[in-house]
Amino acid sequence: MVATASTAGMVLDTFPKYLLLNAERFGDRPAMRHKDFGIWQSWTWSEQKAQVRSLALGLQALGVRHGDKIAIVGTNRPRLYWGFAAAQSLGAIPVPVYADAVAEEMAYVLDHAEVGFAIVQDQEQVDKIQSFAEKIPALKVVIYDEPRGLRDYDREHLHDFADVQASGEALLQADAQLAKWWEENIRQASGDDVSVMLYTSGTTGRSKGVMIKAVNAVNAAADTAEFDKLSEQDSVLAYLPLAWVGDHYLNYAQGYVSGFCMACPESQQTIAHDLREIGPTFYFAPPRIFEGLLTSVTIRMEDAGWLKRKIFDHYVGVARKHGQAILEGRPVPLLGRLNYALGEMLVYGPLKNVLGLSKIRVAYTAGEAIGEDLFSFFRSLGINLKQLYGQTEAFLYVTVQKDGEVRSDAVGPAAPNVDIRISNDGEVQFRSPGMFSGYFKQDEQTRETLTRDGYVKTGDAGFFDKDGQLKIIDRAKDVGKLESGALFAPKYIENTLKFFPNIKEAVAFGDGRDFCAAFINIDLQAVGNWAERNNIAYASYQELAGHPEVYRIIAKHVDETNLRLSREPLMAGAQIKRFLVLHKELDADDGELTRTLKVRRSFVGERYGELIEALYDGSKDKYIETEMTFEDGRKGKVHATVRIEDARVYDAKVEKFREAAE
């Protein structure tokens, strides 16, 4: 599977080897862009190679050696991505950490990974590290990108990124042979070296360090780049968290093997604007992002004039009828094609341009199930949106949908060179080119995750449909039964609720109980906009969440959810009987969500146990006090009397899970 580059005379089994090759074959093409102070700056592959080389030599001068761990902490910035390549070129192991992790969280990862060096973005990350310095004894050197606010800090172990590069450049000037040595070191590197260590999101407990070998990472990225025909002509906007496997795979790994250009936004707040300016051809976003895009479109149209709304509604109807068929090359009547073409001029084209999706050739979503209507909406606009299913332990891809074989209710067949099977108890298991070599310092957990014959246990329950596409039901440990014996798959119920733009998050309960109940978080942007248009005043999220009119809106959404569930024999027995609108937003800083924004179900269950019991004991409301973390890190308490509502349950035929799976 490993490619050989005849021009470079080397086996391409590490990303630094691809850096050398790309500098040779795409030397003058852009490799990286970054918007800074409102201006896009670009680096070609040749320039990127020079940047990585000077950084690598500077790191070596600071003591970095083969096998050392280098933490990478911050948002998407060229210098941090160069940190990955520089570390790998020396045989060191980059360990990306979530930029929004609180200091204690970050300290745990840095200590557990035995990090000796760190490349961080700014003062905020330096402060986090220094506040827990005694808990990170192996950390010797911290290098920062942005110097603002750090002028008076002790410089004994603190270095400016520019100074480190300058020292590497000075070494090059003093000894011209260093460049050849650096390249030869890359050429001689082993694909069996660990390329990156990615920490899991910690949905089920403490994060684990997933070790990915270089040859496995390269093979996996090369397979999917070929699958989607990615090339140096493509471009992406890198806005996903650096520590997430999705960013490292989709942007960094695929970028190196295909040679496409990666653009970094100016800030997290300017992503939407930067997306429009870049107009990427390859795009990934979790369902939450697509939900947000549709919510913003819906809000804009509600504020638009009568004529614009009529035109929009008409052509969205045309798109829903014919758009996906046109996208997939299926037969469509001439009149339908003409109507769609007119809609492209009046609605779809301008809308895609506003969203920054006008040049998209391939787009993916993953991480959570996506609502059928939401998925169909974007595909009907002509956006080639597909689904994949993956895990950190697989170096992302396990399944992927082929062009023309796309469904909203499944995640595709096995990705190239991936082998998938379903165990006797319904768990999805796989072997793949990119699969991990183990958890760092956690041999027991590694053994628990692997089967005796080398398959990875995903922990997800699923089955293959008739056309060979995998359908994921839920986390295997979360799938349960109601007292009636009906299947209870909380994630499926939650995702059905989250289709509605007014619902941002939901948590379903019911395993071993009489009926299904749910917590709901409203979407402050969508519901807040509705409140303003209806002259409803509110001072906080809590006040809006408890408003009687908001409860009426959410009750309608719950009713529609139950109607949908009643039409699916597998899920009909788990309709929502009681619900409440939670008085605070679930937050990663409070431990309720992971850094990838997945609900930590067990933690939420423990924290809000009294509310859960109130859902089941017939209470009409419940007083609760909850500790929360404010944006500046301070902690405080929020208290409220939370109202509990009953919902209508529809009569329906109920099927058992195993019967449906068979």
Side-chain angles (χ1 to χ4, degrees):
M1 292 175 63
V2 175
T4 302
S6 57
T7 55
M10 58 187 172
V11 176
L12 295 171
D13 55 3
T14 73
F15 294 117
K17 290 179 183 180
Y18 269 102
L19 175 62
L20 299 185
L21 177 63
N22 291 344
E24 183 179 320
R25 61 180 176 170
F26 308 133
D28 295 330
R29 290 198 61 84
M32 183 77 70
R33 290 194 175 101
H34 179 222
K35 193 176 184 183
D36 200 16
F37 297 108
I39 300 171
W40 285 102
Q41 302 178 51
S42 295
W43 292 265
T44 65
W45 277 104
S46 292
E47 290 169 337
Q48 180 154 288
K49 172 187 167 185
Q51 294 282 348
V52 172
R53 182 178 58 203
S54 60
L55 175 60
L57 295 175
L59 288 172
Q60 188 180 51
L62 287 172
V64 173
R65 298 293 182 265
H66 187 281
D68 284 344
K69 317 295 191 315
I70 302 181
I72 312 284
V73 192
T75 55
N76 314 82
R77 304 176 69 82
R79 285 178 164 181
L80 298 187
Y81 285 112
W82 296 337
F84 282 101
Q88 291 165 347
S89 75
L90 297 173
I93 304 170
V95 183
V97 183
Y98 286 99
D100 59 350
V102 296
E104 187 175 5
E105 238 179 292
M106 185 180 294
Y108 166 76
V109 172
L110 298 186
D111 178 53
H112 183 269
E114 299 176 356
V115 163
F117 303 82
I119 301 174
V120 306
Q121 180 176 336
D122 53 22
Q123 182 187 16
E124 178 187 356
Q125 310 304 343
V126 172
D127 287 345
K128 287 181 189 177
I129 289 172
Q130 291 192 347
S131 67
F132 277 83
E134 73 283 355
K135 294 192 175 181
I136 321 170
L139 184 59
K140 298 176 285 188
V141 174
V142 176
I143 300 162
Y144 58 85
D145 180 4
E146 297 177 8
R148 185 173 56 189
L150 293 166
R151 185 175 62 181
D152 297 328
Y153 279 50
D154 183 353
R155 297 306 170 120
E156 185 180 356
H157 303 291
L158 198 58
H159 302 267
D160 190 313
F161 189 101
D163 292 341
V164 176
Q165 277 195 312
S167 70
E169 197 61 36
L171 290 169
L172 273 174
Q173 297 298 325
D175 183 358
Q177 294 302 310
L178 268 182
K180 291 181 180 179
W181 170 86
W182 179 72
E183 290 193 18
E184 188 57 31
N185 192 53
I186 290 173
R187 292 171 190 274
Q188 297 301 321
S190 170
D192 285 331
D193 286 345
V194 175
S195 177
V196 68
M197 192 150 72
L198 299 161
Y199 273 77
T200 59
S201 58
T203 310
T204 58
R206 278 289 198 184
S207 297
K208 297 185 285 289
V210 179
M211 297 182 289
I212 308 290
K213 286 185 178 181
V215 65
N216 292 12
V218 165
N219 283 339
D223 282 345
T224 52
E226 181 181 354
F227 179 84
D228 282 313
K229 300 178 177 61
L230 298 175
S231 73
E232 73 279 7
Q233 304 294 328
D234 287 301
S235 61
V236 301
L237 183 72
Y239 69 95
L240 301 164
L242 280 182
W244 184 50
V245 63
D247 178 79
H248 194 70
Y249 187 101
L250 296 165
N251 297 328
Y252 181 83
Q254 289 194 145
Y256 269 73
V257 300
S258 69
F260 66 52
C261 179
M262 177 167 43
C264 298
E266 186 163 18
S267 70
Q268 292 297 300
Q269 290 70 43
T270 65
I271 289 171
H273 186 266
D274 298 340
L275 186 67
R276 289 195 294 273
E277 291 186 344
I278 286 296
T281 60
F282 182 85
Y283 182 67
F284 175 91
R288 183 184 296 267
I289 298 294
F290 286 106
E291 289 163 5
L293 291 174
L294 182 56
T295 296
S296 67
V297 170
T298 303
I299 290 171
R300 283 188 180 190
M301 293 317 301
E302 286 175 347
D303 290 338
W306 174 84
L307 181 60
K308 284 186 177 180
R309 287 202 307 273
K310 281 290 183 185
I311 293 172
F312 179 83
D313 291 342
H314 171 74
Y315 283 108
V316 165
V318 171
R320 289 193 185 281
K321 187 174 181 180
H322 301 298
Q324 292 192 73
I326 290 173
L327 177 65
E328 295 167 7
R330 291 186 271 119
V332 173
L334 179 60
L335 184 59
R337 288 187 178 277
L338 290 174
N339 262 332
Y340 189 85
L342 191 56
E344 178 69 29
M345 286 190 294
L346 296 176
V347 177
Y348 321 141
L351 178 57
K352 286 185 287 187
N353 187 55
V354 166
L355 297 176
L357 307 178
S358 56
K359 295 180 183 178
I360 294 297
R361 188 174 60 78
V362 183
Y364 280 105
T365 188
E368 300 278 358
I370 188 169
E372 180 180 354
D373 291 345
L374 178 67
F375 190 68
S376 298
F377 173 79
F378 285 98
R379 283 188 59 79
S380 72
L381 297 179
I383 298 169
N384 185 25
L385 177 60
K386 304 189 286 184
Q387 295 196 83
L388 65 86
Y389 165 69
Q391 288 198 328
T392 308
E393 289 82 353
F395 198 45
L396 194 59
Y397 282 71
V398 174
T399 71
V400 62
Q401 293 180 328
K402 300 176 182 177
D403 291 342
E405 299 178 19
V406 179
R407 292 170 47 186
S408 62
D409 62 340
V411 292
N417 297 308
V418 175
D419 181 26
I420 304 175
R421 70 185 185 191
I422 308 297
S423 69
N424 291 334
D425 59 359
E427 183 187 41
V428 179
Q429 300 176 352
F430 72 88
R431 289 189 301 198
S432 74
M435 66 185 285
F436 77 139
S437 57
Y439 297 122
F440 183 60
K441 296 194 303 187
Q442 293 178 295
D443 293 341
E444 183 61 33
Q445 285 88 337
T446 301
R447 285 191 289 272
E448 289 173 1
T449 301
L450 294 172
T451 64
R452 289 186 177 181
D453 55 350
Y455 282 76
V456 177
K457 302 174 185 177
T458 65
D460 289 326
F463 61 92
F464 283 106
D465 219 338
K466 293 177 181 178
D467 64 353
Q469 293 213 35
L470 181 67
K471 296 187 79 168
I472 299 295
I473 297 297
D474 207 326
R475 293 293 293 172
K477 69 178 186 60
D478 290 333
V479 174
K481 291 182 180 179
L482 301 177
E483 276 196 351
S484 65
L487 174 73
F488 173 68
K491 184 57 65 179
Y492 191 92
I493 298 164
E494 292 158 7
N495 287 328
T496 306
L497 282 166
K498 285 160 60 179
F499 162 74
F500 299 98
N502 295 317
I503 297 178
K504 184 175 183 180
E505 195 56 79
V507 188
F509 307 95
D511 186 26
R513 295 184 180 266
D514 292 340
F515 57 84
C516 176
F519 289 171
I520 289 170
N521 263 172
I522 60 170
D523 186 293
L524 189 56
Q525 180 188 8
V527 180
N529 182 271
W530 166 85
E532 289 172 17
R533 286 186 284 102
N534 288 274
N535 298 315
I536 293 176
Y538 65 95
S540 64
Y541 173 91
Q542 179 183 333
E543 190 174 331
L544 186 61
H547 197 283
E549 290 298 324
V550 171
Y551 259 85
R552 269 192 278 274
I553 290 172
I554 299 302
K556 280 186 179 180
H557 296 335
V558 172
D559 186 70
E560 290 180 53
T561 297
N562 281 346
L563 185 59
R564 291 186 183 194
L565 293 173
S566 72
R567 293 168 178 162
E568 300 182 42
L570 198 62
M571 296 301 303
Q575 296 174 54
I576 301 162
K577 190 172 181 181
R578 305 196 82 205
F579 73 93
L580 59 83
V581 180
L582 207 58
H583 60 298
K584 72 175 285 292
E585 291 184 278
L586 297 177
D587 196 307
D589 286 347
D590 293 325
E592 298 154 343
L593 303 175
T594 68
R595 290 295 163 190
T596 53
L597 303 182
K598 295 177 183 175
V599 172
R600 298 182 67 191
R601 193 179 305 281
S602 59
F603 183 88
V604 169
E606 291 173 11
R607 189 170 211 209
Y608 298 102
E610 53 192 313
L611 284 182
I612 296 172
E613 290 311 311
L615 284 167
Y616 287 96
D617 67 13
S619 300
K620 293 297 182 183
D621 54 50
K622 181 70 176 179
Y623 177 80
I624 186 170
E625 286 189 3
T626 311
E627 186 177 79
M628 64 180 295
T629 306
F630 298 106
E631 287 186 6
D632 61 2
R634 291 182 299 110
K635 293 188 181 294
K637 286 196 174 182
V638 58
H639 54 86
T641 299
V642 180
R643 182 173 150 195
I644 300 171
E645 289 285 321
D646 295 324
R648 176 184 176 184
V649 174
Y650 292 85
D651 291 333
K653 179 183 176 183
V654 179
E655 267 183 31
K656 293 181 181 178
F657 171 55
R658 292 306 298 173
E659 292 174 351
E662 292 165 1

